[in-house]
Amino acid sequence: MKCKRCRRAEAAVDLPSHHAAFCTDCFFLFFRRQVTEGIRKLRLLAPEDRVLVCVSGGKDSLVLWDVLMDEGYETEGLYIDLGIDGYSDRSKEKVLAYATSRGKTPIVVDLAKEGIPIPEAARCVRMQECSICGTVKRYFFNRVAAEGKFTVVATGHNLDDETARLLGNLLHWQRDHLARQHPLLPGTDEGLVRKVKPLWRVSEVETAAYGFLKGIDYVTEECPMSEDATSLVYKEALSRIEDRMPGTRIVFYKGFLDPSNPLRKGPEAAAPADAVGTPRACAACGAPTYAETCSYCRMKERVRKARSLRAAPVSR
Ligand code: SF4
Ligand code: ZN
């Protein structure tokens, strides 16, 4: 099959959802155009932005960093070492190797050194790893960005991630979550840095193809904690629908983002669901919060208490 764009070279990537197939060079153009259109349409980034790209070692975040650098944005990478045996070391290796190949040194936050490695913290407080991980990652994304004077934090969530989240929110009628779901969460004067998801228009398959054809070496294994993640069930369901009806995912998500959709309040609804009043500084760390202390500090305190209880000798 010939490339649908240049009509000369053999097609290397077949994209049924776009009724297209492209040779490698035309696919690079197509993919980058999808990302830049996604950025332009929702005004995610400005040319003068300093972008902190959160990189996990997986394909999405490394591809995002690659595209943003190629598009001329000023970027630095942030890697958070979650302290997951084996997996974290392998992911970090990929991040460091990629960064070196582009003349960069990523910022690394080591959760073991911060006293909150995810698996051990989850055991201590008997919570799901992913809920702790979400809180901790969000905290460091914002803290590193604020301390480093970045104007925006970018994550590698793609169309599959966003539609799986949307389906989950709809199935459970999570109205607050639906109101806030958007590829752009604006910053606030109180210290929340703007957050964007520039890959919202491209699928997981397209991102993987871009990474592979570009020769980006990423970690292919899933995080071992993701096995029970319900988001994988939603992704699988949407993949089956997409296989039978190509293009459904993007129609689903674009329809949701339509400003006339009453379920969505838009990027201005950035405050968390439990937010009451105006944000203030966390009494322990100074991060923006709606409570006395931020959710990260509260979590860390719970882990500290659980650890000291475990360490205390049992009295008879
Ligand atoms: Fe964190 Fe869970 Fe994702 Fe693993 S699967 S990186 S623990 S949120
Ligand atoms: Zn705090």
Side-chain angles (χ1 to χ4, degrees):
M1 187 180 7
K2 292 281 179 212
C3 169
K4 288 261 166 64
R5 186 174 169 273
C6 68
R7 300 184 192 280
R8 288 191 309 271
E10 278 302 309
V13 186
D14 185 18
L15 299 177
S17 54
H18 295 277
H19 307 291
F22 296 115
C23 68
T24 304
D25 286 344
C26 291
F27 174 66
F28 287 159
L29 274 178
F30 162 84
F31 186 89
R32 280 175 57 167
R33 200 166 290 156
Q34 287 291 318
V35 178
T36 49
E37 269 301 281
I39 292 172
R40 189 191 63 79
K41 276 184 189 296
L42 300 181
R43 298 183 185 173
L44 302 185
L45 297 172
E48 63 276 15
D49 267 323
R50 284 196 74 223
V51 191
L52 182 65
V53 185
C54 304
V55 280
S56 64
K59 62 182 182 318
D60 304 301
S61 52
L62 289 182
V63 163
L64 171 63
W65 199 8
D66 197 75
V67 172
L68 292 184
M69 275 193 270
D70 287 352
E71 287 297 319
Y73 288 99
E74 187 189 342
T75 65
E76 297 298 336
L78 164 65
Y79 173 73
I80 298 187
D81 186 329
L82 305 175
I84 299 173
D85 253 357
Y87 172 75
S88 289
D89 295 329
R90 290 190 287 278
S91 313
K92 188 169 157 191
E93 244 170 53
K94 302 288 184 195
V95 171
L96 294 179
Y98 174 77
T100 305
S101 76
R102 301 285 313 234
K104 294 275 191 184
T105 307
I107 301 164
V108 176
V109 171
D110 184 342
L111 294 187
K113 286 194 188 136
E114 297 292 334
I116 191 157
I118 299 303
E120 197 243 346
R123 277 194 303 277
C124 279
V125 295
R126 295 183 189 174
M127 275 179 71
Q128 291 278 343
E129 285 88 356
C130 296
S131 10
I132 299 190
C133 186
T135 302
V136 173
K137 282 197 295 201
R138 272 193 301 277
Y139 175 81
F140 280 105
F141 290 171
N142 202 73
R143 182 166 132 184
V144 173
E147 286 175 357
K149 304 268 180 286
F150 289 91
T151 52
V152 58
V153 172
T155 56
H157 295 90
N158 59 38
L159 180 64
D160 296 35
D161 298 319
E162 290 308 291
T163 47
R165 186 170 160 211
L166 175 57
L167 181 61
N169 285 339
L170 282 171
L171 289 175
H172 297 99
W173 288 113
Q174 303 265 28
R175 287 184 171 78
D176 288 337
H177 293 189
L178 284 165
R180 282 179 294 124
Q181 184 173 351
H182 197 273
L184 166 67
L185 291 181
T188 66
D189 293 342
E190 291 78 16
L192 277 177
V193 180
R194 171 164 41 106
K195 293 190 184 59
V196 295
K197 298 173 181 173
L199 299 186
W200 69 271
R201 274 168 70 105
V202 290
S203 72
E204 201 157 302
V205 169
E206 289 158 8
T207 312
Y210 189 86
F212 175 76
L213 293 169
K214 272 281 229 151
I216 296 172
D217 187 17
Y218 51 80
V219 67
T220 47
E221 65 190 296
E222 295 288 339
C223 169
M225 309 300 167
S226 68
E227 274 169 20
D228 299 330
T230 44
S231 61
L232 295 183
V233 180
Y234 302 137
K235 269 191 186 176
E236 204 182 308
L238 285 165
S239 290
R240 293 183 70 168
I241 298 171
E242 182 75 26
D243 282 349
R244 297 287 298 273
M245 294 180 281
T248 303
R249 262 201 193 98
I250 192 68
V251 170
F252 182 40
Y253 197 50
K254 278 187 178 168
F256 169 69
L257 292 182
D258 191 304
S260 65
N261 176 2
L263 282 174
R264 205 185 60 76
K265 286 194 198 130
E268 61 282 1
D274 55 356
V276 179
T278 47
R280 52 182 145 157
C282 166
C285 75
T289 177
Y290 289 84
E292 179 68 21
T293 51
C294 71
S295 46
Y296 170 77
C297 287
R298 293 199 300 273
M299 179 80 71
K300 222 177 147 180
E301 183 56 14
R302 279 181 66 188
V303 173
R304 191 193 64 74
K305 278 191 181 150
R307 256 196 216 119
S308 57
L309 275 178
R310 281 178 166 195
V314 181
S315 52
R316 291 171 194 271

